[in-house]
Amino acid sequence: MLRHLMYKIKSTGPITVAEYMKEVLTNPAKGYYVHRDMLGEKGDFITSPEISQIFGELLGIWFISEWMATGKSTAFQLVELGPGRGTLVGDILRVFSQLGSVLKNCDISVHLVEVSQKLSEVQALTLTEEKVPLERNAESPVYMKGVTKSGIPVSWYRDLHDVPKGHSFYLAHEFFDVLPVHKFQKTPQGWREVFIDIDPQVSDKLRFVLAPCATPAEVFIQHDETRDHIEVCPDAGVIIEELSRRIALTGGAALVADYGHDGTKTDTFRGFCGHKLHDVLIAPGTADLTADVDFSFLRRMAQGKVASLGPITQHTFLKNMGIDVRLKVLLDKSNEQSVKQQLLQGYDMLMNPKKMGERFNFFALLPHQRLQGGRDQMNARQSKPFASPVAGFSELAWQ
């Protein structure tokens, strides 16, 4: 990968951080995400669903709660962007099965947007019965199809645009933080984009440099920006706009959970290898690259088309969803001390402000009419009854 990047820079000049991230993470031949299973204890990082089953169960409850609050549509597409090992969607589907009587008249289907062939195979093993063969067609926008263990159809896509439009609930957990960012530094001459170049002192080393003049991605910088260093993610804007269009057109909701901030942080671009921080410019392709999500940018890109809620901390969201009640039920049911210990450790990892509790945030996109009567109401003249609160962002209340 380093050789490939050196050749590219020698041929065309210094590259943007966004171009660097794209090559390192998703290059078809050598990309970090394309051929590796990087999740779990043996990988480079671990995610909330791998830590505790409770996380996925509460998200399953969230989707059912929103489905009920918006009129119990007869079709329910669950769409996950970047589904990891399939653990999270597997936990959600288990909740759907347990609440089968609530969903019995609903036509549920699962749609997974995944660019990694390696991870899609892992997801298929997690979710489907091995005795039902998968349909595969590398040339088709739906490159794989199957049936989950509970009998729900599941399809795989490389791009959100290929997922059928319809009443859908979208999930993006640790998805936006790996999308390519452009980095900018404020200088006496104005904003200058940060590029990556070959170090003239060391022939096989990369370094950061500043662009000599304005670059196209500068259009994303707000006129009243007060920070002196920012990261912008046009790809995130495109995806949020697409989700907003779909939700405004056909209903549903989107739930985003990620590392992030509300337009306050500056330099968050970093690498992870073997669960430790890793220099982003060393041994490209061997470590995960990530940047915190700017939720103020996501909110700006959604504005007008749909309403948004959050960001709120993972600690607050899970507390509102009833994590303490669920933990107590599981502890009471278990007789094994090791299982109880595991549950308590998982709870601490998810909720402790110094661990994931305040590092992760939740953010939702909803149709404007969902918040009818609340502060995001679009048309004050309408006299429909006050909408039920949105679970997670306020305390969970079953109808």
Side-chain angles (χ1 to χ4, degrees):
M1 175 55 77
L2 181 61
R3 259 205 319 274
H4 166 70
L5 290 163
M6 295 274 188
Y7 179 75
K8 191 179 179 79
I9 292 167
K10 282 175 184 169
S11 305
T12 61
I15 58 174
T16 65
V17 171
E19 201 176 345
Y20 178 78
M21 282 182 82
K22 199 170 180 183
E23 282 290 339
V24 169
L25 297 178
T26 59
N27 178 288
K30 299 267 183 188
Y32 174 80
Y33 282 130
V34 178
H35 302 291
R36 294 163 67 100
D37 175 11
M38 69 299 297
L39 290 155
E41 286 180 28
K42 293 180 182 172
D44 295 321
F45 57 92
I46 192 161
T47 62
S48 298
E50 310 287 332
I51 290 165
S52 174
Q53 69 179 74
I54 302 176
F55 184 83
E57 290 171 351
L58 295 180
L59 266 56
I61 296 290
W62 190 87
F63 286 113
I64 293 173
S65 167
E66 274 310 291
W67 171 77
M68 291 170 76
T70 51
K72 302 184 182 178
S73 65
T74 52
F76 184 135
Q77 291 193 160
L78 178 64
V79 183
E80 187 176 4
L81 311 179
R85 300 173 67 89
T87 307
L88 181 53
V89 75
D91 288 341
I92 291 170
L93 291 178
R94 190 173 65 253
V95 171
F96 285 9
S97 291
Q98 287 164 352
L99 294 173
S101 58
V102 177
L103 294 160
K104 63 176 181 292
N105 297 320
C106 188
D107 182 18
I108 301 171
S109 56
V110 174
H111 305 263
L112 305 178
V113 180
E114 179 57 75
V115 294
S116 166
Q117 188 59 45
K118 172 83 175 169
L119 281 177
S120 66
E121 297 294 342
V122 175
Q123 291 150 18
L125 275 175
T126 303
L127 297 172
T128 66
E129 290 282 17
E130 288 180 32
K131 58 179 180 279
V132 180
L134 290 159
E135 289 178 45
R136 299 169 194 268
N137 183 352
E139 307 305 311
S140 167
V142 190
Y143 67 87
M144 205 156 75
K145 277 184 184 177
V147 178
T148 71
K149 292 166 187 173
S150 55
I152 293 170
V154 55
S155 305
W156 280 262
Y157 312 78
R158 291 181 190 87
D159 197 297
L160 172 61
H161 288 89
D162 295 323
V163 176
K165 289 180 174 68
H167 193 81
S168 302
F169 291 88
Y170 300 92
L171 173 60
H173 177 259
E174 287 202 55
F175 171 77
F176 283 99
D177 68 304
V178 296
L179 296 180
V181 295
H182 291 264
K183 289 174 74 67
F184 289 92
Q185 183 75 45
K186 199 177 265 181
T187 74
Q189 292 75 43
W191 287 103
R192 290 292 179 264
E193 186 162 2
V194 177
F195 276 63
I196 290 168
D197 196 5
I198 298 165
D199 190 330
Q201 310 297 319
V202 189
S203 61
D204 62 346
K205 192 177 171 199
L206 299 171
R207 64 169 185 164
F208 290 114
V209 295
L210 288 179
C213 55
T215 53
E218 238 175 80
V219 72
F220 291 98
I221 301 174
Q222 290 290 92
H223 298 303
D224 57 356
E225 182 57 67
T226 56
R227 289 170 289 173
D228 58 7
H229 187 122
I230 63 163
E231 297 158 337
V232 294
C233 183
D235 285 7
V238 169
I239 289 165
I240 288 292
E241 284 193 319
E242 174 67 11
L243 291 174
S244 301
R245 263 195 303 272
R246 286 168 170 246
I247 291 165
L249 190 68
T250 59
L255 188 64
V256 177
D258 225 315
Y259 286 105
H261 58 92
D262 207 11
T264 53
K265 289 190 181 176
T266 54
D267 180 15
T268 70
F269 180 42
R270 59 202 184 278
F272 283 100
C273 184
H275 301 270
K276 291 188 177 133
L277 279 168
H278 177 90
D279 188 319
V280 291
L281 297 183
I282 290 176
T286 64
D288 182 35
L289 301 180
T290 176
D292 283 9
V293 178
D294 182 347
F295 287 104
S296 68
F297 175 65
L298 302 194
R299 189 165 52 245
R300 208 159 66 237
M301 298 311 287
Q303 207 117 47
K305 295 184 196 74
V306 292
S308 63
L309 288 176
I312 62 168
T313 66
Q314 176 164 296
H315 178 277
T316 303
F317 181 89
L318 296 179
K319 186 73 94 174
N320 283 340
M321 289 301 301
I323 189 170
D324 295 331
V325 176
R326 182 61 181 147
L327 175 68
K328 186 175 185 315
V329 168
L330 290 173
L331 288 172
D332 289 347
K333 273 168 65 175
S334 175
N335 298 318
E336 289 182 45
Q337 201 54 42
S338 61
V339 173
K340 288 187 177 190
Q341 193 62 33
Q342 205 176 352
L343 285 165
L344 290 166
Q345 282 173 350
Y347 176 89
D348 180 59
M349 182 65 96
L350 294 178
M351 298 295 282
N352 191 324
K354 292 181 180 166
K355 294 178 182 175
M356 289 178 160
E358 286 185 3
R359 288 186 195 167
F360 277 84
N361 290 273
F362 277 78
F363 177 82
L365 301 176
L366 307 149
H368 282 295
Q369 60 270 30
R370 169 68 181 93
L371 301 180
Q372 173 81 50
R375 65 177 185 272
D376 295 285
Q377 179 176 337
M378 281 295 283
N379 186 348
R381 289 191 300 274
Q382 291 179 337
S383 57
K384 289 181 183 172
F386 186 82
S388 61
V390 177
F393 298 88
S394 52
E395 282 190 36
L396 175 66
W398 288 100
Q399 324 249 291

